[in-house]
Each structure stands twice: as C-alpha cells, then as structure tokens.
Amino acid sequence: MGRDERLLLEVEHPTGLASAVARAAILGCGEPRALGDTRVLLKCVNSLGAANALSWTPGVSLLSYGEFVGPGSFRELSRALAEILSGILEDGDRIWMEIYGDGSTEFQDYLAGELVSTVHVELDHDRPRKLFTIFLVEGGAFLSHGYRRGIGGLPLGSEGSALSLFSGSRCGAEALVAAVRGGFRARPLFLEMGNEAPPENTRRALMAAAIMVQKISPGGEVLAGYVPKRAIDALKGGEWIYHRFLAEVAGLVARKAGDRAIFVGVSPEPGYADVIDAYTCAQRSLGVAFSVHQCDGSPMMPFDEELESLIDEHKWRLARPPHLGSAPAGLDELWRASGLPDIAAEVAGSMASMKAEGELARHEVLDGYLRARLHLKDLLDGGG
C-alpha cells in the first residue's frame, strides 16, 4: 500500500485558497485535492518543512502535516494506520481519533479494533493523552502528525496598501501582522531618533523588519527615516507629542503613497488613552485611517529563532521619555508651536526605501539604510 507525505492547508477565506496553493507549489507541494472551499490536501516532498514555511503565508490559518496511506479498503487502511501509530503509542495510552469523510464511523470502528488488539490503548473521548486527526479522501486516509498555525486573514493586497510603524519590538511586529491579516500589503516604517538610540537598536529593528517582510510579503519594502537631533528635545515633552510626531510622519508618507491605513501597536501602559489622542489628532489633519491596538506580549504570528532573538533580546526604548506625560490642554496649539510639524514634513520627504528580497534581505535592507543614512544625517542635522 502506498505511503507519502501530505499537507492539509486551511484558509480563513475562500478567496485566499488559490494563492496559498500556488505558493505551496513553489515549496514542493502539488496534486491539490480540494476538501470544501477553504481546505485542500497536497502531496509534499517535505510536509513539515512546507508547513513551517507556509505558516507565514497571508490567509493561511492552519497547516496539518502528516502521511497519506492508500488507496485501499477500510480494513487495509486501518491496518496500515495502526502500523504507523503503533510506533508512537505505548500500551495503556489514552487516545482519541477525529475522523472526517464518507464512512468515518465505520472506519473508526475498524481502526479502533486494530489499535486495541496491537497496542492495547484505551479510547478516551473526554481526556485523551494523544489526539489524532484523520481524513478519508481519494480512497485513502490522511493521518495528521501535527500542525502549524498560520497568520490567517484576508489574501495579501486585497484591501490595498498600508503602513505599519515598526520600532523593532513585539508590539510593532504585531501591528505589521495585523495589517497583513486585514488584507493590506503593508510596509514597516522605522524611524531612527538622531543619536539617542544605540546603533544596535537600529540594526536589530531593520533586520527584524526585513525578515518579516521577506516571509509575509515577498518582494515588499522596508521604509526607514532619520529624525534629526534638533527634534529630540521637543519629542521629550510627553508621550502624546512623541506619538503625534510618529503619526504625522507616517501619515504624510502614507498619503503620498496612496495607502489606506496605518497600523500601530501600543503597550497597554498608563497613559494609553493619551497615546490614542495623539493618533486621533493626526488623523483629523491627514485624512488617513489609523488602527491603534494594544499589544499584550503574546505572539500574533509565527516565529522563528532568528526573529525571536532580534525582537526579544533587547529592551526597546529609543527616544521615548521614561515617564508618560499627560495630554496637556490645547494639544494642537502646543503641537504647532513645537516646530515639529515642519521637521515631520522634512523626515517624511526624505524617507529611504529598501527592498526585502532574497536570502540576504536582512543585510541588504540594513546596508541600504546605512548608506542612505549618511546623506539623511547630513541633510537633516545640517538644517539645524
């Protein structure tokens, strides 16, 4: 009886199934067999490797990897699966099987009988120690060994384009994933705050942004700007004015590019409402929709070891003040008097754009910004 590796791919929205299957083909998965309008079974060279890679694909919500046996009769299939399972089960294990497809009840009886007689397992629907998912399809049976959760959402670009403010922290990463889940082709935007942040911060942030873009939006770009030293003192006037500046720069860049939205991730610290006020003020003047959501520290996205280390090994402060400032009366008047609107326009107009492509995307993005930074630093710091 034949055995090969298969992958069960599930998407949140039917419109994303075709693009997900096309990307799976690049990774060595083909012979698609549709199981409804949101699931497809694929034959793979390496189903676990494909699952890991496809978990970053916009629209994909779940990837079950495993083996396919068959075709054959229910009795033949049950014996073949019992042989596979006996290698990973122990006598006395409590297990349960979720079986889908035509004849699932009959097949479960066959398989349960084979397992109980060969491995002496206990079938426990309520408290199983091990749970197996099996799909009956193409005259055979697909046994899932494990799964990877994807980022899900709408197909990439189905809602247009967006910006995502990206500091290099987990909150910025969550905001970027939220934008992609919403169907936007999103570009992370990183701002270097003069000489306030250590160079290592800039390196980590740009490399993390490049890795994420490379994985979830192939061929996309990373934007980076340099904020001159003359803006730093004014930006320390309170958390609200710092975020107003970020929103102003992002809004100007987004409006010029025709973006529909800007995504921001903010930690739920004291003063969170004041931060929202800052983006609300900027939205009124710029006419760009802002999506501000709280970051709870738990991942909204798949992670690999390199990205995890880049995001988690450093405490990201940049030029933000140590304490949140309350929103003062007359926000707009104070903002205009600070001189920051003009600086925001200068920064937005001198943004560097780097493509995140190929195996060395993270280094190419970093090197591209460092080359542009020499010019930006001279242009913007020289203006003060």
Side-chain angles (χ1 to χ4, degrees), residues 340-364:
L340 289 173
D342 291 338
I343 299 177
E346 292 179 51
V347 172
S350 57
M351 200 66 55
S353 172
M354 292 77 60
K355 283 285 187 181
E357 295 180 307
E359 288 297 319
L360 299 178
R362 64 212 70 182
H363 302 292
E364 292 171 357

Side-chain angles (χ1 to χ4, degrees), residues 178-245:
V180 172
R181 277 183 53 81
F184 293 96
R185 182 172 288 280
R187 306 184 311 285
L189 187 155
F190 171 77
L191 292 178
E192 181 187 0
M193 297 294 170
N195 291 334
E196 290 287 300
E200 183 67 6
N201 283 28
T202 298
R203 187 189 76 84
R204 286 178 180 272
L206 289 172
M207 291 183 76
I211 291 171
M212 292 199 69
V213 170
Q214 183 185 27
K215 288 179 177 294
I216 65 180
S217 184
E221 62 179 343
V222 175
L223 300 178
Y226 178 83
V227 178
K229 300 175 187 176
R230 55 198 163 99
I232 302 303
D233 287 340
L235 288 173
K236 291 180 178 177
E239 190 81 346
W240 76 268
I241 202 167
Y242 173 84
H243 280 278
R244 175 67 189 268
F245 181 80

Side-chain angles (χ1 to χ4, degrees), residues 136-337:
L136 300 175
V137 62
E138 294 183 314
F142 167 70
L143 169 66
S144 173
H145 290 322
Y147 66 90
R148 292 287 184 271
R149 293 202 178 278
I151 63 175
L154 294 166
L156 185 66
S158 59
E159 295 298 308
S161 61
L163 277 184
S164 180
L165 286 171
F166 194 92
S167 68
S169 69
R170 188 176 292 272
C171 291
E174 286 193 9
L176 180 57
V177 169
V180 172
R181 277 183 53 81
F184 293 96
R185 182 172 288 280
R187 306 184 311 285
L189 187 155
F190 171 77
L191 292 178
E192 181 187 0
M193 297 294 170
N195 291 334
E196 290 287 300
E200 183 67 6
N201 283 28
T202 298
R203 187 189 76 84
R204 286 178 180 272
L206 289 172
M207 291 183 76
I211 291 171
M212 292 199 69
V213 170
Q214 183 185 27
K215 288 179 177 294
I216 65 180
S217 184
E221 62 179 343
V222 175
L223 300 178
Y226 178 83
V227 178
K229 300 175 187 176
R230 55 198 163 99
I232 302 303
D233 287 340
L235 288 173
K236 291 180 178 177
E239 190 81 346
W240 76 268
I241 202 167
Y242 173 84
H243 280 278
R244 175 67 189 268
F245 181 80
L246 296 183
E248 195 81 9
V249 172
L252 290 168
V253 174
R255 186 166 60 181
K256 182 178 180 180
D259 294 322
R260 297 182 57 196
I262 297 169
F263 285 74
V264 187
V266 182
S267 297
E269 303 167 349
Y272 176 73
D274 295 341
V275 172
I276 294 180
D277 286 343
Y279 288 99
T280 301
C281 289
Q283 181 176 352
R284 285 200 301 267
S285 62
L286 293 165
V288 177
F290 280 87
S291 174
V292 184
H293 56 278
Q294 292 181 326
C295 166
D296 60 10
S298 60
M300 282 178 54
M301 70 221 85
F303 266 93
D304 59 24
E305 292 182 5
E306 183 176 13
L307 183 60
E308 189 86 47
S309 65
L310 284 170
I311 288 178
D312 285 346
E313 283 182 3
H314 192 79
K315 298 297 182 184
W316 297 89
R317 292 302 301 173
L318 298 180
R320 299 174 68 170
H323 301 291
L324 297 174
S326 296
L331 291 181
D332 289 339
E333 291 79 5
L334 186 59
W335 166 253
R336 286 191 292 269

